[in-house]
Amino acid sequence: MKKLRSKIVKTLKKEFTFECIISSRMNQVILDVKNIDFEQHLGQLIQQTQFIIDKYFPQREDHLCLVIRAIDGTNENKFKIWKSH
């Protein structure tokens, strides 16, 4: 699982179009997003994250827990991407 998370972090850093800091901590992939209207862009952030993970890691044996948060600490959203069947 740790190996998968580090690969996901590396891939998201390469593919993600929003300006953010991507890391992995305590079984979570964390995206600290800069300079956006969090509420307005949250759907796009989740959709792009899901697309990249499904594209590059279609076979997953574990659920992934992701956290998207504003870098200033004002907003945060946690969600899961379920393991593949």
Side-chain angles (χ1 to χ4, degrees):
M1 180 69 169
K2 188 175 181 180
K3 202 173 207 178
L4 175 62
R5 277 195 321 278
S6 61
K7 287 180 181 180
I8 287 171
V9 167
K10 187 176 180 180
T11 302
L12 286 173
K13 283 180 179 181
K14 194 169 85 175
E15 297 287 326
F16 210 63
T17 59
F18 288 92
E19 186 180 354
C20 64
I21 299 166
I22 303 169
S23 60
S24 176
R25 242 176 281 127
M26 295 175 21
N27 295 327
Q28 298 176 327
V29 175
I30 301 166
L31 293 86
D32 288 308
V33 186
K34 299 179 184 180
N35 305 325
I36 64 158
D37 181 331
F38 193 85
E39 300 287 328
Q40 183 180 351
H41 292 98
L42 183 60
Q44 292 172 304
L45 290 161
I46 292 171
Q47 190 175 35
Q48 187 175 68
T49 304
Q50 175 87 48
F51 175 79
I52 292 168
I53 290 171
D54 285 344
K55 179 179 177 182
Y56 290 96
F57 307 97
Q59 300 300 315
R60 297 179 304 274
E61 295 182 15
D62 294 302
H63 302 311
L64 297 170
C65 182
L66 292 102
V67 178
I68 296 176
R69 59 188 182 197
I71 203 151
D72 63 5
T74 56
N75 289 299
E76 179 176 290
N77 183 278
K78 294 181 182 181
F79 66 101
K80 282 191 177 184
I81 297 178
W82 303 107
K83 66 182 177 180
S84 51
H85 296 282

